[in-house]
Amino acid sequence: FWLKPAHHRSLVHRMAVRGVETRPLIQERAAPPALPREKKPYYVNIDVLPGIYTSVLVASLGGVRFEITSERHGKMHAFWLLLCCIPLFLAQVTTIFLLRTDMDLAKPIYLETAIQNLTAQSASQAEAVVYGHEVVRSKQLLKLKILMVIILYLMNFNYLLNTVRLLLLVLNPLTWVEIALGRDRFSSEGCCARIANFFQRAGSQAPFAFFALCMQLFVGYVVCTDSVSLILDSDSVTDVIFNSLAITFVVELSEVWWNFCKDALHMSWDEEFKLKVNTQVWKRDGHLTEAAAGTTCLPSLTSKLVQWTTFRSLSGSSFSLLKRGFVQTRLETMATFAVLASLYTRQFYVVLFAIQTNILPAARDICTQWALSRGNSIMHRMLLKLEQCLFVDVRTELDELAAIDLAGHCADGRYERMHTVDMFQLTGHYHKASIIFYVTLIVVLLAPQLAYFIISNIFERPPVDEDEGMDCELGEKLEEKVEVLEEQVLELQEQQLHLQR
């Protein structure tokens, strides 16, 4: 080993010509086998707030269990939790309807600047001064009412945000392939076992989760709408503050009812439940594995849907727009905030329309509901069935409100609901308020999401499957070894030519 490299090579060459077996003077120690790397779990960045409606979604993904014994638990089916949602939904809708009927629907929101019903001949100067003070006080109170409406919208923002995000999660067909947990299946091959296994699939429970989240979104939106009328109907500062806080109790009933049901029925969320994405369901060509597609209710349709939404990126890899990951997550976020922006835009014009016409929005809702109850279409019949399930006689209440409180003006169109044409007219009439609203909406809601989408595409690399990453690293190492071997072969060929000469 003390010979120089050139002398050592010549010595090895002479020994090889004479047929002497040569071995390296220093044996390289074999590298220890590489330990398998732990895969980093990939979770969906959505907060699942506790409540009876969200529990239906958790149950459809296999995350709600009920206690059989102290050591055994079973998976709760989403259908039974949906049945638990129905009494709460009817109670919430009944409470909101009764709040509407308790308002003074014909009373103006604020006093007009002009002296109404008072003329110089019929009114004394003292009455005019008192009325003038009432007008000023009403204008000041209106500013507080608008401020409390904005605060109430901010309080319900997280509720609406999570509901819309969960709805988009449910509407994605691949959610039930990537996130759904494994379920216990019946091993027998009878007809009843096949039917039971079909309803045990996560995809078959998707409609239950969809209906539950639609109920939650309906309650949250109606609470935001009726809170405007409840606040505008208040006569004092104390009533404004208390009414704005009292109506939020209707939204919080979901968590209260869930706490009661889980204690009464011995249910609980699985401790290990998280919206964890299973990356093993995808092939390297961007398509679902046959086993993953077989877990859905319609395997062929799911595979076709993946094929229709699969595109090839600039790097050459294929991916589906519905696949949970780099692109789909950002598209889902932008869609969520677009839906919220449309909801808040609608509420903005509802407030402007109420201020311009000096009519409570609840009065228009009552007349719209009264008109719908007298139709013969499918939607009218569905609304009639819903009204019959409530805890009060809705038809009698509507007739009394339309005939007495609103003096029969529901039929002549005075309390007609707001249309798109009215929104354009309000934009021109309240152009300053509209500009402030749209600038705030873009700066606070839309611009951050667009900036996040662009910046994340520039500085963040898409998540790569661990197995695919290991295959890429292994391929790079093999290519390096092949290059080394090729160089050694070339050297040996040159040496052989030199010996032949």
Side-chain angles (χ1 to χ4, degrees):
F1 66 90
W2 49 269
L3 293 175
K4 294 183 179 181
H7 298 165
H8 179 260
R9 285 197 298 269
S10 61
L11 177 61
V12 172
H13 175 67
R14 289 196 300 270
M15 295 175 65
V17 171
R18 297 174 182 176
V20 181
E21 181 181 2
T22 59
R23 295 182 181 180
L25 298 177
I26 301 177
Q27 295 284 347
E28 294 185 359
R29 184 174 298 176
L35 297 176
R37 294 183 303 174
E38 295 183 359
K39 294 184 179 181
K40 295 181 180 180
Y42 175 43
Y43 298 103
V44 179
N45 189 20
I46 299 179
D47 295 331
V48 183
L49 302 178
I52 190 64
Y53 298 116
T54 54
S55 296
V56 180
L57 171 62
V58 176
S60 63
L61 296 174
V64 178
R65 62 182 186 179
F66 61 93
E67 184 178 353
I68 300 176
T69 62
S70 59
E71 298 180 355
R72 294 183 60 190
H73 297 84
K75 297 290 185 179
M76 177 62 71
H77 199 277
F79 174 74
W80 306 114
L81 285 177
L82 182 63
L83 293 181
C84 296
C85 293
I86 295 177
L88 174 65
F89 178 72
L90 296 178
Q92 288 176 319
V93 174
T94 303
T95 304
I96 293 171
F97 177 76
L98 291 178
L99 283 174
R100 289 181 179 178
T101 59
D102 191 56
M103 300 178 191
D104 191 357
L105 300 177
K107 186 183 71 173
I109 299 174
Y110 58 92
L111 298 178
E112 299 288 350
T113 304
I115 301 179
Q116 298 176 347
N117 301 326
L118 291 174
T119 61
Q121 293 78 14
S122 62
S124 63
Q125 184 177 3
E127 291 176 345
V129 171
V130 171
Y131 188 84
H133 286 300
E134 291 294 330
V135 170
V136 174
R137 180 177 176 275
S138 177
K139 295 289 186 180
Q140 295 294 333
L141 186 61
L142 179 62
K143 297 179 180 178
L144 176 63
K145 292 177 181 179
I146 296 175
L147 178 61
M148 292 307 300
V149 168
I150 296 174
I151 293 175
L152 190 64
Y153 284 164
L154 294 177
M155 293 173 61
N156 291 331
F157 175 77
N158 191 29
Y159 180 87
L160 294 174
L161 175 65
N162 281 275
T163 305
V164 174
R165 295 189 69 180
L166 292 176
L167 261 177
L168 294 178
L169 181 73
V170 170
L171 291 176
N172 187 355
L174 299 187
T175 297
W176 310 100
V177 180
E178 294 181 306
I179 303 178
L181 301 179
R183 289 179 169 272
D184 299 332
R185 301 176 62 85
F186 296 96
S187 57
S188 58
E189 298 182 355
C191 180
C192 295
R194 292 179 180 177
I195 296 175
N197 289 331
F198 175 81
F199 285 104
Q200 281 291 101
R201 294 181 177 183
S204 63
Q205 303 184 44
F208 306 131
F210 174 75
F211 288 134
L213 292 175
C214 286
M215 292 180 189
Q216 182 174 349
L217 181 62
F218 176 81
V219 171
Y221 180 74
V222 173
V223 164
C224 287
T225 303
D226 283 16
S227 63
V228 176
S229 300
L230 190 62
I231 292 174
L232 295 179
D233 186 55
S234 304
D235 297 326
S236 63
V237 176
T238 306
D239 292 341
V240 170
I241 297 176
F242 286 160
N243 289 340
S244 61
L245 295 177
I247 197 170
T248 58
F249 173 72
V250 178
V251 176
E252 297 173 355
L253 286 176
S254 175
E255 184 177 357
V256 175
W257 183 244
W258 162 246
N259 291 332
F260 170 78
C261 290
K262 74 174 184 178
D263 293 336
L265 303 177
H266 303 280
M267 295 185 300
S268 64
W269 284 11
D270 197 339
E271 298 177 355
E272 300 180 355
F273 172 77
K274 290 182 180 179
L275 295 178
K276 183 179 179 181
V277 179
N278 182 14
T279 58
Q280 303 297 327
V281 299
W282 294 98
K283 299 179 182 178
R284 295 188 62 183
D285 58 355
H287 293 82
L288 286 173
T289 61
E290 296 180 358
T295 58
T296 60
C297 299
L298 301 173
S300 58
L301 181 60
T302 304
S303 301
K304 288 291 184 182
L305 184 62
V306 173
Q307 184 179 357
W308 293 336
T309 58
T310 299
F311 298 90
R312 186 173 296 276
S313 62
L314 297 176
S315 60
S317 60
S318 300
F319 66 94
S320 174
L321 292 178
L322 300 178
K323 178 183 177 181
R324 176 65 53 178
F326 184 71
V327 176
Q328 195 273 342
T329 302
R330 283 146 184 79
L331 293 177
E332 185 181 87
T333 302
M334 295 185 66
T336 300
F337 281 89
V339 172
L340 288 180
S342 63
L343 293 180
Y344 280 112
T345 302
R346 174 73 181 180
Q347 292 301 312
F348 170 72
Y349 284 109
V350 166
V351 176
L352 287 185
F353 197 49
I355 294 174
Q356 184 187 40
T357 59
N358 206 6
I359 297 175
L360 287 175
R364 302 183 184 278
D365 295 336
I366 288 294
C367 286
T368 302
Q369 188 176 353
W370 177 80
L372 289 175
S373 62
R374 277 159 167 66
N376 294 322
S377 63
I378 298 177
M379 183 177 179
H380 299 160
R381 295 176 183 176
M382 293 177 60
L383 180 61
L384 182 61
K385 293 295 183 182
L386 177 61
E387 291 176 352
Q388 292 176 354
C389 295
L390 299 182
F391 303 136
V392 293
D393 189 356
V394 178
R395 179 61 63 87
T396 303
E397 291 287 343
L398 287 176
D399 292 338
E400 292 181 358
L401 290 173
I404 300 175
D405 292 5
L406 299 178
H409 291 296
C410 287
D412 59 13
R414 180 180 178 183
Y415 295 102
E416 190 177 3
R417 64 186 181 90
M418 182 180 65
H419 298 282
T420 307
V421 179
D422 299 323
M423 297 172 64
F424 286 108
Q425 294 177 356
L426 289 171
T427 304
H429 188 270
Y430 297 96
H431 56 277
K432 292 183 179 180
S434 300
I435 292 174
I436 294 174
F437 170 75
Y438 281 112
V439 170
T440 305
L441 187 70
I442 293 173
V443 171
V444 175
L445 284 184
L446 300 181
Q449 311 311 317
L450 183 61
Y452 171 72
F453 181 80
I454 296 174
I455 294 174
S456 60
N457 285 335
I458 296 175
F459 295 101
E460 184 179 349
R461 296 180 62 185
V464 181
D465 190 1
E466 296 290 337
D467 292 340
E468 184 177 352
M470 293 176 66
D471 293 340
C472 293
E473 292 181 1
L474 183 59
E476 293 176 357
K477 293 180 179 180
L478 290 176
E479 289 179 358
E480 294 177 357
K481 291 183 178 180
V482 168
E483 292 178 357
V484 173
L485 292 174
E486 288 178 352
E487 293 177 358
Q488 293 179 358
V489 168
L490 291 175
E491 291 180 358
L492 291 175
Q493 289 178 353
E494 291 177 358
Q495 292 179 5
Q496 185 177 3
L497 292 174
H498 180 70
L499 291 175
Q500 290 177 357
R501 292 176 183 175

